[in-house]
Structures are given as C-alpha cells and as structure tokens.
C-alpha cells in the first residue's frame, strides 16, 4: 500500500481533479439550462395570455344623444318603474344613432349602424332611467356600451390592411367609428361587467361572475368533504389501522385512485349522484362531490406522507408522559404534520379548481347566465367557462378566454399564498 | 441462537453459584449460550420486577428470559454493548414497545405487584406512573411552559392556572432548569441547548409525578458538563423516585447507580451491587466489558 501523501498519489489525484471539476461544471450547466428552458416556456405562456387577455379588462363606450321622450319610449309621462321596464329603449337608441349619422339611409347600412351599440345598452339605459326617473322627457348625451366588433376596432385589434370581405369589421363601421373618435365620442373604461355579470352570447356583456361563484361553491363543497375525510382517513390509516391484508389493499387502491382519469369520476357522478340519487343536474353540489372524490386520494397520500415524516421522538415523548394515542395524534402529530397536510390539500384543491372534464359529464357545461345563489343552483365553473369561451368563434371571446385564464391563475396564486401563509404560521408554533 | 426454545424454562436461582470464571475469555457466543444470571436479580422491596421476560421483534428474539427487580428509590444501571437488549428491556417496563409493529413481549412484569401486561392494564395510566426520558432530547415543538404543563394538563392534575404554574415551576426547579429559563417560559423548548433540552424532558417527565423514571441513555447526546449536571440531578431524584437508567458510559453507571445489570446479546449476564460489579465481576463477559476488552 502506498502512502496516501506520497508525491505519487498527489499527482494522480491532481491529474484527475480537472476532469472531476469539469464534470461538475457540466452538470451545473445542464441544470441551469433545464431551469432556464422551463422559465422560458412559462414566460412565453404567461406573456401570451396576458397580452391576449388584457384588452378584455377594458370596454369602449360610445356617446349617443338620446331623446328620452315618453311618447317615443311608448310610456306615459309619469311612468311607474313597472311601465318603464317595458319601454322601447332599443328604439330610442336607434333613433339617436340615426340622428348622429343622418347620411345613413339604406336598410342594410342602418342595421350595420345599430350593431355598433351592444344590445345590452338598452338594459343599461333602462337601469339608468329606473335610477333617475327625472331624466324622462329630456334629451341627453349618454355613454352606451359598444358592440364587441366596434370595440375590437377601437382597441386597435382590427387589421385594416386586410381585404374588407376577409374581416368582420366592415369599412362603413370603421368610417363611423373614426368620425366618433375624432369627435371625442368614444371612451375606454374599465370593464366592470366582466366581473359583475354572468355568461352571455355577446362578448361585451359576458362576465365571469357566475363562473366565479360556481367555482367558489363547488370548491367549498369539495373542501368541506375532501379535507376532513382525507385527513382523518390518513390519520386512521397511519396511526390506528392495523397492518394487514385489508389495509394493504386499501392503500393500493388509494394509490390507484389517484391515477384514475378525472372524467371517470364524472361518469361516476353522473351515474350515481344524478341518475341514482337524483341530485340536481349542473349543480355545484354534485360537482363538489365529484371533485372531492377526485381530490381525496391526493389529500390522503400527501397527508400520510406528512404524518409519516413527523419524527417518532415526538410520538414517544407524548406517549411517554401518558398521552393516549388520540391525544398524541391531535396534540402533537397533526400540528407538526399540518404544514405538509395543508400543502397537499391546497395542491388537491388547486387541481379541483382547474378541473373541467368531470364537470362536463354532470352538466356543468350548460350555458348559464345567472349567478348561482347556492350549491344546488345550476352553474358553471371557471375552467368550463374558459372552455366554452375558447369554443366561441367571436373575436371578443378570445380575449375573454385569456382574461378568464388570468383570473383563474390569480386564484391559484392566491390559494398558494394562503397555503404558504398557513404553513409559516403553523411552523412558528 | 439454537437454544432459544429452552430459555423459557430457565429460572434464576437466588443463590447464584459463583462458578469458576470460564477460561475462554473471548469466546463470546459460546459463553453466552445457555447461561444463568450471575448475582441476585431480586431485591427485598421491589418497585418493579420482571420475571422471565422474552421480547421478540417479529421472529427475532431480542431479549431472552431476563429477570430483574428494580428496588424502591434505587437507581439501577443497565450496561452492555450495543444491541444487547438493554434499551428494549427498559422499554418493556412502561410498554413503550407496544408501539413498535411486530414486537411481542412474553413473561411477567409487575409494578407494585400488579402485572402491567395483563389485558385490563391501561397503558396511559402505566406511562403516567412510569415516566421516560429518551436518548435524544425530544421536547415538543411548543413553549417551555407547555412542554412541562402538557402531562399534568392531559391527566387533569392541576385545577387552576395558579396550580399549573406551581407544578411547572416545581418540576423545572427539580430538574435544575428553572433559573436558566424562568424569563423565557414562553419560548420554544426546541430553542434550548442540548443539555437544557434534556433537563426540560426530565422536568416534563417528573411533572406528572411518576413513581418510576426510565432513562434511555439520557446523556449520550450531551457534553461532559451537561452530563455532570444530569447525573447530579439523578442523584437528587432518587430520593423521591425509582430510576432505571440505560447507559453506555461505565463511569456514569458507577457514579449514579446502586445496582448494575450487565446485558449481553439479549441476556442478563450479571447483576449486583454497582461497587461489586465494577471491582469484582464474576462473569468473564462482564469483566471483559468493564475492562474495555470489547464493547
């Protein structure tokens, strides 16, 4: 055996050092490249969504002088609120538009002119009048919601270089809009309706409120079912259950369930909850139950891992002073495992928030305009809303799709922030 | 071990024959086979007594027919090389082995003449009466106060906050920790130094006023100064408690214990007065161990 500090060995080691360090540097470089590639993809994806989605948060309004003459509206001068509901606001708007552009005469052009304003504008006008009945009989300049096509031109999304027949926004509309813009009769405002209304066939009227509420109710149901059942199942399996064939079988099945395609859970929900138990279709209740079935394995597996990771010395300490098994688990093991359990649960909930396939099966894909008031009202959820909008051909829905994705991601970030906050709080205790 | 089956009917004789020391000094396995415990495992006033205890981990037998008494207000030290079963034996005394899957205990262990392995024995009550301090300091990740107050709280020993404060202070004082931590009782126990943590664990154990305290190598993770502090503490504690301590340090066993038991490969080889064991060991394995020839 040669002496390790002999000059021989030293030179041998020295000659191999270069190679070893080079290998290390290469490995670091690969790692860095992998991380950078990941970041690049993420950045491209996010940038694309943000660029496409940002315009959806603004809505253009067009100022039109409207004659709120009771005769023209078809109501009596001191009309009650009920009578105003039925008044002909559409006609008043059309008249106002005709007065602004007296040169438009042909039937076809007039129809194109009317399309400049959203059909939702009538309802906005009605609401305005219901709020301020003294406006009745006056002639007033009123800002009206632009149609999504007009809006897309005003937002600069229309390529005027394109041949007229290849684009939806025709030259005459562009001419009118240019004139209005020159007169300062167009205005870009924050799109409140995007957050305060439900789905609509018209892009400028469509909002995510119904989907947000639907997602909220669905997740509430999911959380209320999956979290306690999942955590308690994990505690039972980890701390109380005997180790035998049956528990082994259960463990294998839980692991397998985590890998079951989510649409299968949707089929199950359709067959069992809707067809057999006759629960309401399209309801967050059923959606929540189906999603909790899907989330349960994730929560159980991560909770078990978190419980397993609790140092046995803590259990021994508690048992050593005479704590019962239940006290040991609830006073010592669970608090220490809580950060891990919460992380797992939030990951599961985030999965549930982003899930659409099983919800399609139970009818949450229906076109629903109303904001649900509870867990049994028909509703849709954010990812399904995104799916529906992505499916719509109108240009206006494209930006809505991206904007809804931004909202969805905002909620995911929020949920993760809550998870991190809770984790910190539990860890300091 | 081919003789495992025959170990069951082994019975230790009170008048252990002080046979000639076997000559093959280092033939460990042969010598450990088929033995009888040398010395007197019994005492007059036994707080706990074990009779023919066998412990199995699955198919593997970890303890072979060990019989040993732990006398009232006495410190019994258990020494022996790693894997000799001394910690396992200690854990049978408050049934901490119950939580190890596949662990099976045979034989008879009594606390105040009551069998602790009978089916109606409540392990919670047993562990309240037989407290334990572990090898690695394991304070709960809670405040110092909560660490000590936890036992009394779950057993309902304090009827008011003032009473609880008193118990906590008394326990910390008895563990010799109070003066060091009295201004930071609400700080986490895990933030203390290793020696302080171990004393906190001792305070936690004595807060429920156990009758017996089991210590499983309580100083193995501590420096000599902290060790000296704990040994001092053990000396004080024996006035009130019965203590069984497992240790790797023979000096420690010699310093703190009245009786010493030497374990080897799951068997109790020799037991006797500490002074006797260390100055005049009867069995060659004991002699080899304490003179440092192996172990």
């Amino acid at each position: 055996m040669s002496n390790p500090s002999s000059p021989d060995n030293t030179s041998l080691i020295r000659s191999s050092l270069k190679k070893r360090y080079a290998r290390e540097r290469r490995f670091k470089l690969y790692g860095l490249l992998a991380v950078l590639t990941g970041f690049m993809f993420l950045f491209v994806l996010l940038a694309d969504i943000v660029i496409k989605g940002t315009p959806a948060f603004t809505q253009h309004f067009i100022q039109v002088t409207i004659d709120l003459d009771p005769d023209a509206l078809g109501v009596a001068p001191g009309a009650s609120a009920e009578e105003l509901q039925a008044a002909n606001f559409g006609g008043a708007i059309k008249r106002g538009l005709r007065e602004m552009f007296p040169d438009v005469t042909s039937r076809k052009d007039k129809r194109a002119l009317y399309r400049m304003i959203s059909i939702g504008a009538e309802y906005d006008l009605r609401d305005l009048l219901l709020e301020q009945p003294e406006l009745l009989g006056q002639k007033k300049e009123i800002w009206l919601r632009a149609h999504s096509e007009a809006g897309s031109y005003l937002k600069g999304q229309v390529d005027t270089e394109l041949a007229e027949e290849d684009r939806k926004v025709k030259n005459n509309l562009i001419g009118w809009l240019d004139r209005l813009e020159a007169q300062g009769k167009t205005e870009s405002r924050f799109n409140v309706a995007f957050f305060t209304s439900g789905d609509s066939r018209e892009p400028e009227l469509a909002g995510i409120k119904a989907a947000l509420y639907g997602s909220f109710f669905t997740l509430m149901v999911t959380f209320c079912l999956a979290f306690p059942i999942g955590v308690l199942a994990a505690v039972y399996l980890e701390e109380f259950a005997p180790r035998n064939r049956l528990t082994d079988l259960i463990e294998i099945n839980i692991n397998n369930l985590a890998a079951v395609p989510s649409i299968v859970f949707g089929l199950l929900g359709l067959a069992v909850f809707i067809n057999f138990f006759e629960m309401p279709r399209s309801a967050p209740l059923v959606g929540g139950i189906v999603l909790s079935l899907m989330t349960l394995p994730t929560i159980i597996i991560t909770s078990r891992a978190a419980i397993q990771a609790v140092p046995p010395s803590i259990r021994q300490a508690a048992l050593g002073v005479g704590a019962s098994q239940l006290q040991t688990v609830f006073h010592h093991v669970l608090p220490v495992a809580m950060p891990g359990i919460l992380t797992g649960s939030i990951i599961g909930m985030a999965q549930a928030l982003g899930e659409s396939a099983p919800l399609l099966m139970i009818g949450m894909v229906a076109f629903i305009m109303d904001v649900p008031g509870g867990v049994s009202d028909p509703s849709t959820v954010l990812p399904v809303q995104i799916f529906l909008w992505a499916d719509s051909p109108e240009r206006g829905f494209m930006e809505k799709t991206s904007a809804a994705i931004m909202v969805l991601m905002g909620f995911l970030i929020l949920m993760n922030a809550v998870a991190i906050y809770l984790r910190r709080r539990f860890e300091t205790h | 071990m081919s003789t495992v089956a025959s170990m069951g009917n082994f019975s230790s004789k009170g008048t252990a024959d002080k046979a000639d020391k076997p000559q093959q000094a280092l033939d460990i396995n042969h010598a450990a086979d088929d033995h009888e415990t040398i010395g007197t495992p019994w005492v007059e006033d036994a707080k706990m007594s074990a009779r023919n205890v066998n412990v199995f981990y699955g198919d593997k037998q970890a303890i072979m027919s060990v019989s040993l008494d732990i006398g009232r207000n006495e410190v019994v030290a258990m020494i022996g090389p790693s894997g000799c079963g001394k910690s396992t034996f200690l854990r049978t005394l408050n049934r901490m082995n119950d939580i190890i899957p596949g662990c099976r205990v045979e034989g008879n262990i009594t606390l105040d003449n009551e069998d602790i392995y009978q089916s109606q024995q409540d392990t919670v009550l047993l562990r309240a009466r037989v407290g334990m301090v572990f090898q690695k300091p394991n304070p709960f990740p809670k405040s110092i106060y909560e660490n000590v107050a936890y036992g009394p709280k779950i057993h309902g020993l304090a009827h008011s906050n003032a009473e609880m404060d008193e118990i906590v202070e008394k326990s910390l004082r008895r563990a010799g920790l109070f003066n060091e931590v009295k201004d930071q009782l609400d700080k986490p126990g895990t933030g203390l130094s290793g020696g302080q943590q171990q004393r906190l664990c001792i305070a936690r154990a004595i807060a429920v006023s156990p009758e017996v305290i089991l210590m499983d190598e309580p100083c193995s993770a501590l420096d000599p100064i902290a060790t000296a502090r704990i040994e001092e503490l053990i000396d004080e504690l024996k006035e009130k408690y019965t203590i069984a301590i497992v240790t790797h340090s023979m000096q420690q066993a010699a310093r703190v214990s009245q009786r010493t038991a030497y374990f080897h490969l799951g068997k109790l080889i020799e037991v006797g007065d500490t002074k006797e064991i260390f100055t005049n060991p009867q069995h060659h394995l004991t002699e080899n161990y304490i003179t440092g020839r192996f172990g």
Side-chain angles (χ1 to χ4, degrees):
Chain A
M1 247 208 226
S2 59
N3 187 340
S5 60
S6 74
D8 239 28
N9 271 356
T10 313
S11 61
L12 261 176
I13 293 171
R14 190 167 288 141
S15 65
S16 76
L17 273 182
K18 220 169 149 189
K19 225 169 158 184
R20 275 148 68 178
Y21 287 142
R23 204 174 287 160
E24 197 168 315
R25 272 196 302 275
R26 270 203 307 278
F27 184 78
K28 277 189 197 158
L29 187 71
Y30 295 150
L32 198 67
L33 276 179
V35 171
L36 283 181
T37 319
F39 263 110
M40 201 187 67
F41 280 123
L42 188 68
F43 180 78
V44 169
L45 184 75
L46 285 182
D48 180 61
I49 289 170
V50 170
I51 289 168
K52 276 191 191 145
T54 320
F57 294 108
T58 56
Q59 167 70 45
H60 274 85
F61 284 76
I62 295 171
Q63 197 184 44
V64 184
T65 310
I66 290 173
D67 187 4
L68 292 166
D69 180 39
D71 282 346
L73 289 173
V75 293
S80 68
E82 249 169 73
E83 283 171 303
L84 278 177
Q85 296 271 13
N88 182 10
F89 291 107
I93 293 171
K94 283 174 188 166
R95 239 185 343 274
L97 284 171
R98 278 204 303 273
E99 276 168 29
M100 278 169 82
F101 297 98
D103 49 322
V104 179
T105 47
S106 79
R107 240 183 118 89
K108 199 177 150 221
D109 285 353
K110 273 187 197 163
R111 215 165 20 207
L113 181 63
Y114 301 153
R115 270 180 67 83
M116 192 153 84
I117 300 293
S118 162
I119 60 157
E122 312 178 9
Y123 307 108
D124 293 342
L125 194 57
R126 182 192 67 197
D127 292 343
L128 179 76
L129 218 62
L130 286 173
E131 221 173 87
Q132 304 171 311
E134 70 274 8
L135 289 179
L136 195 64
Q138 294 181 23
K139 200 164 185 175
K140 227 179 150 2
E141 290 178 329
I142 292 171
W143 287 101
L144 294 176
R145 187 182 301 269
H147 189 272
S148 70
E149 280 165 21
S152 72
Y153 174 72
L154 290 170
K155 282 174 189 168
Q157 291 165 338
V158 175
D159 183 6
T160 45
E161 309 275 292
L162 227 59
E164 194 181 1
E165 58 268 29
D166 287 346
R167 54 182 144 88
K168 269 211 130 167
V169 182
K170 303 300 178 193
N171 284 345
N172 53 5
L173 179 60
I174 290 175
W176 299 324
L177 288 171
D178 283 344
R179 261 158 73 189
L180 285 170
E181 226 174 349
Q183 295 166 10
K185 290 194 168 180
T186 62
E187 193 179 79
S188 170
R189 295 183 190 169
F190 181 68
N191 188 2
V192 182
F194 184 65
F195 295 99
T196 56
S197 54
D199 198 6
S200 167
R201 302 235 182 266
E202 308 300 324
E204 73 275 11
L205 297 175
I208 53 166
K209 192 181 179 188
L212 269 183
Y213 272 60
S215 271
F216 173 75
F217 286 128
T218 309
L219 276 193
M220 280 297 286
V221 173
T222 306
F223 185 79
C224 291
L225 285 174
F227 184 71
I229 296 178
V231 173
L232 292 179
V235 166
Y236 177 75
L237 287 173
E238 212 44 60
E239 299 281 342
F240 295 97
R243 293 260 178 275
N244 55 28
R245 279 252 175 88
L246 185 70
T247 45
D248 283 349
L249 192 75
I250 290 174
E251 190 172 337
I252 291 169
N253 277 303
I254 289 171
N255 291 340
N256 284 340
L257 273 183
V260 167
S262 57
I263 197 151
V264 176
F265 289 106
L267 276 171
L268 180 92
L270 180 65
V272 176
F273 301 123
I274 293 182
N275 287 346
F276 187 75
F277 288 111
E278 294 181 353
M279 286 179 171
R281 216 167 267 275
S282 309
L285 179 64
V286 182
I289 296 174
V290 168
L291 288 182
S292 62
L293 288 181
M294 198 198 78
T295 329
L296 261 177
T298 312
I299 294 184
I300 293 177
I301 291 169
T302 50
S303 300
R304 287 187 71 172
I307 290 170
Q308 266 168 17
V310 174
S313 64
I314 289 182
R315 275 190 198 91
Q316 291 179 354
L319 292 172
V321 294
S324 68
Q325 212 172 350
L326 194 73
Q327 285 170 328
T328 305
V329 170
F330 281 92
H331 295 168
H332 300 287
V333 176
L334 270 188
V336 176
M338 222 11 135
I341 293 178
L342 279 179
T343 311
S345 302
I346 302 243
I347 288 171
M349 297 307 286
Q351 245 177 23
L353 177 62
E355 196 57 69
S356 55
L359 302 181
L360 304 183
M361 298 301 302
I362 56 160
M364 288 187 93
V365 71
F367 176 76
I368 286 149
M369 295 175 65
D370 297 324
V371 175
V375 292
S376 56
D377 288 354
S379 61
T380 187
V381 292
L382 268 177
V384 175
Q385 186 69 74
I386 291 168
F387 166 75
L388 285 171
W389 282 346
D391 225 20
S392 305
E394 286 92 340
R395 152 113 221 178
F397 278 123
M398 205 170 101
E399 58 185 45
K400 301 274 163 186
T401 308
S402 293
I405 293 173
M406 282 164 74
V407 172
L408 182 62
M409 285 198 304
F411 274 95
L412 289 177
I413 291 170
L414 191 75
M415 282 170 77
N416 277 309
V418 169
I420 291 166
Y421 169 75
L422 287 175
R423 208 155 57 201
R424 290 261 166 82
R425 257 199 56 167
F426 274 106
E427 264 168 6
T428 52
H429 276 55
Chain B
M1 296 284 130
S2 57
T3 54
V4 164
S6 68
M7 300 312 291
N9 43 39
F10 148 81
S11 76
S12 183
K13 297 183 189 94
T15 54
D17 63 318
K18 300 203 169 180
D20 305 331
K21 286 180 207 169
Q23 293 309 302
Q24 309 137 291
L26 286 173
D27 187 357
I28 297 163
N29 288 329
H30 176 256
D33 268 354
D34 210 15
H35 82 296
E36 289 185 354
T37 301
I38 296 172
T40 325
W42 326 139
V43 294
E44 290 275 303
D45 186 17
K47 179 74 188 172
M48 297 196 79
S49 61
R51 293 288 177 274
N52 300 328
V53 173
N54 293 305
V55 180
F56 301 87
Y57 292 124
D59 296 332
K60 194 175 159 279
Q61 187 165 12
I63 294 216
M64 294 153 203
S65 194
V66 168
S67 298
L68 181 64
D69 277 1
I70 295 159
R72 212 173 290 277
N73 293 7
E74 157 183 81
V75 179
V76 175
M78 299 171 197
I79 57 170
S82 294
C84 69
K86 53 196 190 309
S87 288
T88 300
F89 177 72
L90 191 76
R91 291 161 150 269
T92 61
L93 297 178
N94 71 344
R95 292 185 62 172
M96 284 300 279
N97 278 338
D98 287 14
I99 58 172
I100 299 169
C103 179
R104 190 158 52 84
V105 178
E106 282 173 5
N108 185 284
I109 300 175
T110 61
L111 170 65
D112 285 339
N113 294 321
E114 268 175 52
D115 187 355
I116 62 169
Y117 277 88
Q118 62 190 338
S119 53
Q120 62 263 46
Q121 172 66 49
D122 193 311
T123 50
V124 169
L125 180 64
L126 174 68
R127 288 175 193 149
R129 292 177 66 193
V130 183
M132 188 151 191
V133 176
F134 297 86
Q135 182 171 3
K136 229 180 81 199
N138 56 353
F140 299 131
K142 296 175 191 286
S143 73
I144 294 172
Y145 184 95
E146 283 173 288
N147 259 286
V148 183
Y150 182 69
K153 197 175 93 191
I154 56 172
H155 296 305
L157 300 182
H159 302 291
S160 65
N161 287 342
E163 215 174 316
M164 183 63 88
D165 292 347
E166 204 186 305
I167 292 178
V168 170
E169 185 182 330
K170 209 173 75 189
S171 308
L172 283 171
R173 264 191 208 290
R174 210 175 279 160
L177 188 64
F178 186 73
N179 287 330
E180 289 162 58
V181 300
K182 62 179 176 226
D183 301 323
Q184 41 171 338
L185 289 177
D186 54 342
K187 296 267 170 58
T190 40
L192 296 172
S193 75
Q196 288 175 322
Q197 286 190 16
Q198 195 61 299
R199 275 180 283 154
L200 177 62
C201 293
I202 294 175
R204 182 177 65 192
I206 56 186
V208 285
S209 310
E211 296 155 40
V212 182
I213 301 177
L214 309 176
M215 294 185 172
D216 189 357
E217 297 178 40
C219 302
S220 66
L222 306 182
D223 68 14
I225 297 168
T227 303
R229 188 73 201 76
I230 303 260
E231 286 179 10
E232 237 171 79
L233 182 60
I234 293 172
D235 244 14
E236 290 160 25
L237 290 175
K238 76 162 189 283
E239 308 292 324
K240 283 200 67 174
Y241 307 99
T242 301
I243 295 172
I245 178 171
V246 163
T247 175
H248 267 299
S249 152
M250 277 167 286
Q251 292 89 332
Q252 182 170 63
R255 282 193 297 261
V256 300
S257 70
Q258 278 81 59
R259 285 201 309 141
T260 298
Y262 174 70
F263 284 75
H264 187 93
L265 292 175
K267 296 183 182 106
L268 178 56
I269 301 296
E270 186 167 354
V271 57
D273 281 346
T274 299
K275 209 183 275 173
E276 192 70 15
I277 292 272
F278 281 99
T279 53
N280 185 22
Q282 299 300 307
H283 199 286
H284 71 280
L285 282 172
T286 320
E287 188 183 4
N288 287 337
Y289 185 71
I290 61 171
T291 53
R293 245 176 279 174
F294 71 87

